[in-house]
Coordinates of all heavy atoms in Angstrom, one line a residue:
M10 N -13.6 37.4 2.4 CA -13.9 36.1 1.7 C -14.6 36.5 0.4 O -15.6 37.2 0.4 CB -14.7 35.2 2.6 CG -15.1 34.0 1.8 SD -16.2 32.9 2.9 CE -15.3 32.6 4.3
N11 N -14.1 36.1 -0.7 CA -14.8 36.4 -2.0 C -16.0 35.5 -2.1 O -16.3 34.5 -1.4 CB -13.9 36.3 -3.2 CG -13.4 34.9 -3.5 OD1 -14.1 33.9 -3.3 ND2 -12.1 34.8 -3.9
S12 N -16.8 35.8 -3.1 CA -18.1 35.0 -3.3 C -17.9 33.6 -3.6 O -18.7 32.7 -3.3 CB -19.0 35.8 -4.3 OG -18.4 35.7 -5.6
E13 N -16.9 33.3 -4.4 CA -16.6 31.9 -4.7 C -16.3 31.1 -3.5 O -16.8 30.0 -3.3 CB -15.4 31.8 -5.7 CG -15.1 30.4 -6.2 CD -14.0 30.4 -7.2 OE1 -14.2 31.0 -8.3 OE2 -12.9 29.8 -6.9
D14 N -15.4 31.6 -2.6 CA -15.1 30.9 -1.3 C -16.4 30.7 -0.5 O -16.6 29.7 0.1 CB -14.1 31.7 -0.5 CG -12.7 31.6 -1.2 OD1 -12.5 30.7 -2.0 OD2 -11.9 32.5 -0.8
K15 N -17.2 31.8 -0.5 CA -18.5 31.7 0.3 C -19.4 30.6 -0.2 O -20.0 29.8 0.5 CB -19.2 33.1 0.3 CG -20.5 33.0 1.1 CD -21.0 34.4 1.3 CE -22.3 34.5 2.1 NZ -22.5 33.6 3.2
I16 N -19.5 30.5 -1.5 CA -20.3 29.4 -2.1 C -19.7 28.1 -1.7 O -20.5 27.2 -1.3 CB -20.4 29.6 -3.7 CG1 -21.2 30.8 -4.0 CG2 -21.0 28.3 -4.3 CD1 -21.1 31.2 -5.4
I17 N -18.5 27.9 -1.8 CA -17.8 26.7 -1.5 C -18.1 26.3 0.0 O -18.5 25.2 0.3 CB -16.3 26.7 -1.8 CG1 -16.1 26.7 -3.3 CG2 -15.6 25.5 -1.1 CD1 -14.7 27.0 -3.8
N18 N -17.8 27.3 0.9 CA -18.0 27.1 2.3 C -19.5 26.8 2.7 O -19.7 26.0 3.6 CB -17.4 28.2 3.1 CG -15.9 28.3 3.1 OD1 -15.3 27.2 2.9 ND2 -15.3 29.4 3.2
D19 N -20.4 27.6 2.1 CA -21.7 27.5 2.5 C -22.5 26.4 1.9 O -23.5 25.9 2.5 CB -22.5 28.8 2.2 CG -22.0 30.0 3.0 OD1 -21.2 29.7 4.0 OD2 -22.4 31.1 2.7
Y20 N -22.1 26.0 0.7 CA -22.9 25.0 0.0 C -22.2 23.7 -0.4 O -22.8 22.7 -0.1 CB -23.6 25.6 -1.3 CG -24.4 26.8 -1.1 CD1 -23.9 28.1 -1.2 CD2 -25.7 26.7 -0.5 CE1 -24.8 29.2 -1.0 CE2 -26.5 27.8 -0.2 CZ -26.0 29.0 -0.4 OH -26.8 30.1 -0.2
L21 N -21.1 23.9 -1.0 CA -20.4 22.7 -1.5 C -19.8 21.8 -0.5 O -19.9 20.6 -0.5 CB -19.4 23.1 -2.6 CG -19.9 23.7 -3.8 CD1 -18.8 24.1 -4.8 CD2 -21.0 22.9 -4.5
T22 N -19.1 22.4 0.5 CA -18.5 21.6 1.5 C -19.4 20.8 2.4 O -19.2 19.6 2.6 CB -17.6 22.6 2.5 OG1 -16.6 23.2 1.7 CG2 -16.9 21.8 3.6
P23 N -20.6 21.4 2.8 CA -21.5 20.6 3.5 C -22.1 19.4 2.7 O -22.3 18.3 3.2 CB -22.7 21.5 3.9 CG -22.0 22.9 3.9 CD -21.0 22.8 2.8
I24 N -22.4 19.6 1.4 CA -22.9 18.5 0.5 C -21.8 17.5 0.3 O -22.1 16.3 0.5 CB -23.3 19.1 -0.9 CG1 -24.5 20.0 -0.7 CG2 -23.5 18.0 -1.9 CD1 -24.9 20.8 -1.9
L25 N -20.6 17.8 0.1 CA -19.5 16.9 0.0 C -19.3 16.2 1.3 O -19.1 15.0 1.3 CB -18.2 17.6 -0.5 CG -17.0 16.7 -0.8 CD1 -17.3 15.6 -1.7 CD2 -15.8 17.5 -1.2
G26 N -19.3 16.9 2.4 CA -19.2 16.2 3.7 C -20.2 15.2 3.9 O -19.9 14.1 4.4
D27 N -21.5 15.5 3.6 CA -22.6 14.5 3.7 C -22.3 13.3 2.9 O -22.5 12.1 3.3 CB -23.9 15.2 3.4 CG -25.1 14.3 3.7 OD1 -25.1 13.7 4.8 OD2 -26.0 14.2 2.8
L28 N -22.0 13.5 1.7 CA -21.6 12.4 0.7 C -20.5 11.6 1.2 O -20.6 10.3 1.2 CB -21.4 13.0 -0.7 CG -21.0 11.9 -1.7 CD1 -22.2 11.0 -2.0 CD2 -20.6 12.7 -3.1
M29 N -19.4 12.2 1.7 CA -18.3 11.5 2.2 C -18.7 10.6 3.4 O -18.3 9.5 3.6 CB -17.2 12.4 2.6 CG -16.6 13.1 1.4 SD -15.7 11.9 0.4 CE -14.0 12.4 0.7
Q30 N -19.6 11.3 4.3 CA -19.9 10.5 5.5 C -20.8 9.3 5.2 O -20.6 8.2 5.7 CB -20.7 11.5 6.5 CG -21.0 10.9 7.8 CD -19.7 10.5 8.6 OE1 -18.8 11.3 8.8 NE2 -19.6 9.3 9.0
K31 N -21.7 9.5 4.2 CA -22.6 8.4 3.8 C -21.7 7.2 3.1 O -22.0 6.0 3.4 CB -23.7 8.8 2.8 CG -24.8 9.6 3.5 CD -25.8 10.1 2.5 CE -26.8 10.9 3.2 NZ -27.8 11.5 2.3
S32 N -20.8 7.6 2.4 CA -19.8 6.7 1.8 C -19.1 5.9 2.8 O -18.9 4.7 2.8 CB -18.9 7.4 0.7 OG -19.7 7.9 -0.3
L33 N -18.5 6.7 3.7 CA -17.7 6.0 4.8 C -18.6 5.1 5.6 O -18.2 4.0 5.9 CB -17.1 7.1 5.7 CG -16.3 6.6 6.9 CD1 -15.1 5.8 6.4 CD2 -15.8 7.8 7.7
D34 N -19.8 5.5 6.0 CA -20.7 4.6 6.7 C -21.0 3.4 5.9 O -21.1 2.3 6.5 CB -22.0 5.4 7.0 CG -21.8 6.5 8.1 OD1 -20.8 6.5 8.8 OD2 -22.7 7.3 8.2
S35 N -21.2 3.5 4.6 CA -21.5 2.3 3.8 C -20.3 1.3 3.8 O -20.5 0.1 3.9 CB -21.8 2.7 2.4 OG -23.0 3.4 2.3
I36 N -19.2 1.8 3.7 CA -17.9 1.1 3.7 C -17.7 0.3 5.1 O -17.4 -0.9 5.1 CB -16.7 1.9 3.3 CG1 -16.8 2.2 1.9 CG2 -15.4 1.1 3.6 CD1 -15.8 3.4 1.5
L37 N -18.0 1.1 6.1 CA -17.9 0.5 7.4 C -19.0 -0.6 7.6 O -18.7 -1.7 8.3 CB -18.0 1.6 8.5 CG -16.8 2.6 8.6 CD1 -17.2 3.7 9.5 CD2 -15.6 1.9 8.8
D38 N -20.2 -0.4 7.1 CA -21.2 -1.5 7.2 C -20.7 -2.7 6.4 O -21.0 -3.8 6.9 CB -22.5 -0.9 6.6 CG -23.2 0.0 7.5 OD1 -22.9 0.1 8.7 OD2 -24.2 0.7 7.0
M39 N -20.1 -2.5 5.3 CA -19.6 -3.7 4.5 C -18.6 -4.4 5.2 O -18.6 -5.6 5.2 CB -19.0 -3.2 3.2 CG -20.0 -2.6 2.1 SD -19.2 -1.9 0.7 CE -18.4 -3.4 -0.1
R40 N -17.7 -3.7 5.9 CA -16.7 -4.3 6.8 C -17.4 -5.1 7.9 O -17.0 -6.3 8.2 CB -15.7 -3.4 7.3 CG -14.6 -4.0 8.2 CD -13.6 -3.0 8.7 NE -14.2 -2.2 9.7 CZ -13.5 -1.3 10.4 NH1 -12.2 -1.2 10.2 NH2 -14.1 -0.6 11.3
E41 N -18.3 -4.5 8.6 CA -19.0 -5.1 9.7 C -19.7 -6.4 9.3 O -19.8 -7.3 10.1 CB -19.9 -4.1 10.4 CG -20.5 -4.5 11.6 CD -21.4 -3.5 12.3 OE1 -20.9 -2.4 12.5 OE2 -22.6 -3.7 12.5
Q42 N -20.3 -6.3 8.2 CA -21.1 -7.5 7.7 C -20.2 -8.5 7.0 O -20.6 -9.5 6.4 CB -22.2 -7.0 6.7 CG -23.2 -6.2 7.3 CD -24.2 -5.6 6.4 OE1 -24.4 -6.2 5.3 NE2 -24.9 -4.5 6.7
K43 N -18.9 -8.2 7.0 CA -17.9 -9.1 6.4 C -18.1 -9.4 4.9 O -18.0 -10.5 4.4 CB -17.8 -10.4 7.2 CG -17.4 -10.2 8.7 CD -17.0 -11.5 9.4 CE -16.7 -11.3 10.8 NZ -16.1 -10.2 11.3
L44 N -18.5 -8.3 4.2 CA -18.7 -8.4 2.8 C -17.5 -8.2 2.0 O -17.4 -8.6 0.8 CB -19.8 -7.4 2.3 CG -21.2 -7.5 2.9 CD1 -22.1 -6.4 2.5 CD2 -21.8 -8.9 2.6
L45 N -16.5 -7.7 2.7 CA -15.2 -7.6 2.0 C -14.3 -8.8 2.3 O -14.0 -9.1 3.4 CB -14.5 -6.3 2.5 CG -15.2 -4.9 2.1 CD1 -14.5 -3.8 2.8 CD2 -15.3 -4.7 0.6
T46 N -13.8 -9.3 1.2 CA -12.8 -10.4 1.4 C -11.6 -10.2 0.4 O -11.6 -9.2 -0.4 CB -13.5 -11.8 1.0 OG1 -13.8 -11.8 -0.4 CG2 -14.7 -12.1 1.8
K47 N -10.6 -11.1 0.5 CA -9.5 -11.0 -0.4 C -9.9 -11.0 -1.9 O -9.3 -10.5 -2.8 CB -8.5 -12.1 -0.2 CG -7.7 -11.9 1.1 CD -6.7 -12.9 1.3 CE -5.9 -12.7 2.5 NZ -4.7 -13.6 2.7
D48 N -11.0 -11.7 -2.1 CA -11.5 -11.8 -3.5 C -12.3 -10.6 -4.0 O -12.7 -10.5 -5.2 CB -12.4 -13.1 -3.6 CG -11.7 -14.3 -3.4 OD1 -10.4 -14.4 -3.6 OD2 -12.3 -15.3 -2.8
S49 N -12.5 -9.6 -3.1 CA -13.3 -8.4 -3.5 C -12.3 -7.3 -4.1 O -12.3 -6.2 -3.7 CB -14.0 -7.8 -2.2 OG -14.7 -8.8 -1.6
V50 N -11.6 -7.8 -5.1 CA -10.5 -6.9 -5.6 C -11.1 -5.6 -6.1 O -10.5 -4.5 -5.7 CB -9.8 -7.6 -6.8 CG1 -8.7 -6.7 -7.3 CG2 -9.1 -8.9 -6.2
E51 N -12.1 -5.6 -6.9 CA -12.6 -4.3 -7.4 C -13.1 -3.4 -6.3 O -12.9 -2.2 -6.3 CB -13.8 -4.6 -8.4 CG -13.2 -5.1 -9.8 CD -14.4 -5.3 -10.8 OE1 -15.3 -4.6 -10.7 OE2 -14.2 -6.2 -11.6
D52 N -13.8 -4.0 -5.3 CA -14.3 -3.2 -4.2 C -13.1 -2.6 -3.4 O -13.2 -1.5 -3.0 CB -15.2 -4.1 -3.2 CG -16.5 -4.5 -3.9 OD1 -17.0 -3.8 -4.7 OD2 -17.1 -5.5 -3.5
I53 N -12.1 -3.4 -3.2 CA -11.0 -3.0 -2.4 C -10.3 -1.8 -3.1 O -9.9 -0.8 -2.5 CB -10.0 -4.1 -2.1 CG1 -10.6 -5.1 -1.1 CG2 -8.6 -3.6 -1.6 CD1 -9.8 -6.4 -0.9
L54 N -10.1 -1.9 -4.4 CA -9.5 -0.8 -5.2 C -10.3 0.4 -5.2 O -9.8 1.5 -5.1 CB -9.2 -1.3 -6.7 CG -8.2 -2.4 -6.9 CD1 -8.2 -2.8 -8.3 CD2 -6.8 -1.9 -6.5
F55 N -11.7 0.3 -5.2 CA -12.5 1.4 -5.2 C -12.4 2.1 -3.8 O -12.3 3.3 -3.7 CB -14.0 1.0 -5.5 CG -15.0 2.2 -5.3 CD1 -15.1 3.1 -6.4 CD2 -15.7 2.3 -4.2 CE1 -16.0 4.1 -6.2 CE2 -16.6 3.3 -4.0 CZ -16.8 4.3 -5.0
I56 N -12.5 1.3 -2.8 CA -12.4 1.8 -1.4 C -11.0 2.4 -1.1 O -11.0 3.5 -0.5 CB -12.7 0.7 -0.4 CG1 -14.1 0.3 -0.5 CG2 -12.4 1.2 1.0 CD1 -14.5 -1.0 0.2
A57 N -10.0 1.9 -1.7 CA -8.7 2.5 -1.6 C -8.6 3.9 -2.2 O -8.0 4.8 -1.6 CB -7.6 1.6 -2.2
K58 N -9.2 4.0 -3.3 CA -9.3 5.4 -4.0 C -10.1 6.3 -3.1 O -9.8 7.4 -2.9 CB -9.9 5.2 -5.4 CG -10.0 6.6 -6.1 CD -10.5 6.4 -7.5 CE -10.9 7.6 -8.2 NZ -9.8 8.3 -8.8
F59 N -11.3 5.9 -2.6 CA -12.1 6.6 -1.7 C -11.3 7.0 -0.5 O -11.3 8.2 -0.1 CB -13.3 5.8 -1.2 CG -14.1 6.5 0.0 CD1 -14.9 7.6 -0.3 CD2 -13.8 6.1 1.3 CE1 -15.5 8.2 0.7 CE2 -14.5 6.8 2.3 CZ -15.4 7.8 2.0
I60 N -10.5 6.1 0.1 CA -9.7 6.5 1.3 C -8.7 7.6 1.0 O -8.6 8.5 1.8 CB -8.9 5.2 1.8 CG1 -9.9 4.3 2.5 CG2 -7.7 5.6 2.7 CD1 -9.3 3.0 2.9
D61 N -8.1 7.6 -0.2 CA -7.2 8.7 -0.6 C -7.9 10.0 -0.6 O -7.4 11.0 -0.1 CB -6.5 8.4 -1.9 CG -5.5 7.2 -1.9 OD1 -5.0 6.9 -0.8 OD2 -5.2 6.7 -2.9
E62 N -9.1 10.0 -1.3 CA -9.8 11.3 -1.4 C -10.4 11.7 -0.1 O -10.4 12.9 0.3 CB -10.9 11.1 -2.4 CG -10.4 10.9 -3.8 CD -11.5 10.5 -4.8 OE1 -12.7 10.5 -4.5 OE2 -11.1 10.2 -6.0
A63 N -10.9 10.7 0.8 CA -11.5 11.1 2.0 C -10.4 11.6 2.9 O -10.6 12.5 3.8 CB -12.1 9.9 2.6
T64 N -9.2 11.1 2.9 CA -8.1 11.5 3.7 C -7.8 13.0 3.4 O -7.7 13.8 4.4 CB -6.8 10.7 3.5 OG1 -7.1 9.3 3.9 CG2 -5.6 11.2 4.3
Q65 N -7.8 13.3 2.2 CA -7.5 14.7 1.8 C -8.7 15.6 2.3 O -8.4 16.7 2.8 CB -7.4 14.9 0.2 CG -7.1 16.3 -0.2 CD -5.8 16.8 0.4 OE1 -4.8 16.1 0.3 NE2 -5.8 18.0 0.9
F66 N -9.9 15.2 2.1 CA -11.1 16.0 2.5 C -11.1 16.2 4.0 O -11.2 17.3 4.4 CB -12.4 15.3 2.1 CG -13.6 16.0 2.5 CD1 -14.0 17.2 1.9 CD2 -14.3 15.6 3.6 CE1 -15.2 17.9 2.3 CE2 -15.4 16.3 4.1 CZ -15.9 17.4 3.4
Y67 N -11.0 15.1 4.8 CA -11.0 15.2 6.2 C -9.7 16.0 6.8 O -9.9 16.6 7.8 CB -11.2 13.9 6.9 CG -12.6 13.3 6.6 CD1 -12.8 12.2 6.0 CD2 -13.7 14.1 7.0 CE1 -14.1 11.7 5.7 CE2 -15.0 13.6 6.8 CZ -15.2 12.5 6.2 OH -16.5 12.0 5.9
T68 N -8.6 15.9 6.1 CA -7.5 16.7 6.5 C -7.8 18.2 6.3 O -7.5 19.0 7.2 CB -6.2 16.2 5.7 OG1 -6.0 14.9 6.0 CG2 -5.0 17.1 6.1
D69 N -8.4 18.5 5.2 CA -8.6 19.9 4.9 C -9.6 20.5 5.9 O -9.5 21.7 6.2 CB -9.2 20.0 3.4 CG -8.2 19.8 2.4 OD1 -7.0 19.8 2.7 OD2 -8.6 19.7 1.2
I70 N -10.5 19.8 6.4 CA -11.5 20.3 7.4 C -11.2 19.9 8.8 O -12.0 20.2 9.7 CB -12.9 19.9 7.0 CG1 -13.2 18.3 7.1 CG2 -13.3 20.3 5.6 CD1 -14.6 17.9 7.1
N71 N -10.0 19.4 9.0 CA -9.5 19.0 10.4 C -10.5 18.1 11.1 O -10.8 18.4 12.3 CB -9.2 20.2 11.2 CG -7.9 21.0 10.7 OD1 -7.0 20.3 10.2 ND2 -7.9 22.2 10.8
H72 N -10.9 17.0 10.5 CA -11.9 16.1 11.2 C -11.1 15.0 11.7 O -11.0 13.9 11.0 CB -13.0 15.8 10.2 CG -14.2 15.2 10.9 ND1 -14.2 14.0 11.5 CD2 -15.4 15.7 11.0 CE1 -15.4 13.7 12.0 NE2 -16.2 14.8 11.7
A73 N -10.6 15.0 12.9 CA -9.7 14.0 13.4 C -10.4 12.7 13.6 O -9.7 11.6 13.4 CB -9.1 14.5 14.8
E74 N -11.6 12.7 14.1 CA -12.3 11.4 14.3 C -12.4 10.6 13.0 O -12.1 9.4 13.0 CB -13.7 11.7 14.8 CG -14.5 10.5 15.2 CD -15.9 10.7 15.7 OE1 -16.3 11.8 16.0 OE2 -16.7 9.7 15.8
N75 N -12.9 11.2 11.9 CA -13.0 10.5 10.7 C -11.6 10.1 10.1 O -11.5 9.1 9.4 CB -13.9 11.2 9.6 CG -15.3 11.0 9.9 OD1 -15.7 10.2 10.8 ND2 -16.2 11.7 9.2
L76 N -10.6 11.0 10.4 CA -9.2 10.6 9.9 C -8.8 9.3 10.6 O -8.2 8.4 10.0 CB -8.3 11.7 10.1 CG -8.4 12.9 9.1 CD1 -7.6 14.0 9.6 CD2 -7.9 12.4 7.7
A77 N -9.1 9.1 11.9 CA -8.7 8.0 12.6 C -9.5 6.7 12.0 O -8.9 5.7 11.9 CB -9.0 8.1 14.1
I78 N -10.8 6.9 11.7 CA -11.6 5.9 11.2 C -11.0 5.5 9.8 O -10.9 4.2 9.5 CB -13.1 6.3 11.1 CG1 -13.7 6.4 12.4 CG2 -13.8 5.3 10.2 CD1 -15.0 7.0 12.5
I79 N -10.6 6.4 9.0 CA -10.1 6.2 7.7 C -8.8 5.4 7.8 O -8.5 4.5 7.0 CB -9.8 7.5 6.9 CG1 -11.2 8.2 6.7 CG2 -9.1 7.3 5.7 CD1 -11.9 7.9 5.4
N80 N -8.0 5.8 8.7 CA -6.7 5.1 9.0 C -6.9 3.7 9.4 O -6.2 2.8 8.9 CB -5.8 5.9 10.0 CG -4.4 5.3 10.1 OD1 -3.8 5.1 9.1 ND2 -4.0 5.0 11.3
D81 N -7.8 3.4 10.3 CA -8.2 2.1 10.6 C -8.7 1.2 9.5 O -8.3 0.1 9.3 CB -9.3 2.1 11.7 CG -9.7 0.8 12.2 OD1 -8.8 0.0 12.6 OD2 -10.9 0.5 12.2
L82 N -9.5 1.9 8.6 CA -10.0 1.2 7.4 C -8.9 0.9 6.5 O -8.9 -0.2 5.9 CB -11.1 2.1 6.8 CG -11.9 1.5 5.6 CD1 -12.6 0.2 6.0 CD2 -12.9 2.5 5.2
K83 N -8.0 1.8 6.4 CA -6.8 1.6 5.5 C -6.0 0.4 5.9 O -5.7 -0.5 5.1 CB -6.0 2.8 5.4 CG -4.8 2.7 4.5 CD -4.1 4.1 4.4 CE -2.9 4.0 3.5 NZ -2.2 5.2 3.4
Q84 N -5.8 0.3 7.3 CA -5.0 -0.9 7.8 C -5.9 -2.2 7.6 O -5.2 -3.2 7.3 CB -4.7 -0.6 9.2 CG -3.7 0.5 9.5 CD -3.5 0.7 11.0 OE1 -4.0 0.1 11.8 NE2 -2.7 1.7 11.3
Y85 N -7.1 -2.1 7.7 CA -8.0 -3.3 7.5 C -7.8 -3.7 6.1 O -7.7 -5.0 5.8 CB -9.4 -2.9 7.8 CG -10.4 -4.0 7.5 CD1 -10.6 -5.1 8.2 CD2 -11.3 -3.8 6.3 CE1 -11.5 -6.1 7.9 CE2 -12.2 -4.8 6.0 CZ -12.3 -5.9 6.8 OH -13.2 -6.9 6.4
L86 N -7.9 -2.8 5.1 CA -7.8 -3.2 3.7 C -6.4 -3.7 3.4 O -6.3 -4.7 2.6 CB -8.1 -2.0 2.8 CG -9.5 -1.5 2.7 CD1 -9.7 -0.3 1.8 CD2 -10.4 -2.7 2.3
E87 N -5.4 -3.2 4.0 CA -4.0 -3.7 3.8 C -3.9 -5.1 4.3 O -3.2 -5.9 3.7 CB -3.0 -2.8 4.5 CG -2.8 -1.5 3.8 CD -1.9 -0.5 4.5 OE1 -1.6 -0.8 5.7 OE2 -1.7 0.6 3.9
G88 N -4.6 -5.4 5.4 CA -4.7 -6.8 5.9 C -5.3 -7.7 5.0 O -4.9 -8.9 4.8
L89 N -6.4 -7.2 4.4 CA -7.1 -8.1 3.4 C -6.2 -8.4 2.2 O -6.2 -9.5 1.6 CB -8.4 -7.4 2.8 CG -9.6 -7.5 3.7 CD1 -10.8 -6.7 3.1 CD2 -10.0 -8.9 4.1
A90 N -5.5 -7.4 1.7 CA -4.7 -7.5 0.5 C -3.4 -8.3 0.8 O -2.8 -8.9 -0.1 CB -4.3 -6.1 0.0
G91 N -3.0 -8.3 2.1 CA -1.8 -8.9 2.7 C -1.4 -10.1 2.1 O -0.5 -10.7 1.8

């Protein structure tokens, strides 16, 4: 492993993982508190972009649990946009 890969694995991936987890938790809290509605267009678009990026991140690190949560959240947003 070269030094660049080591830096990414040792420092950047954990930081990005923590940020992604906090973002996912915030979105799930918004859903639980029913803060997302059909009228929340900007929030839905932002969350949809997050879902795309989070899907890639969690696929890269093989995190099946969060991929399932992301998929559920994606279906929820599709239902709102429906």
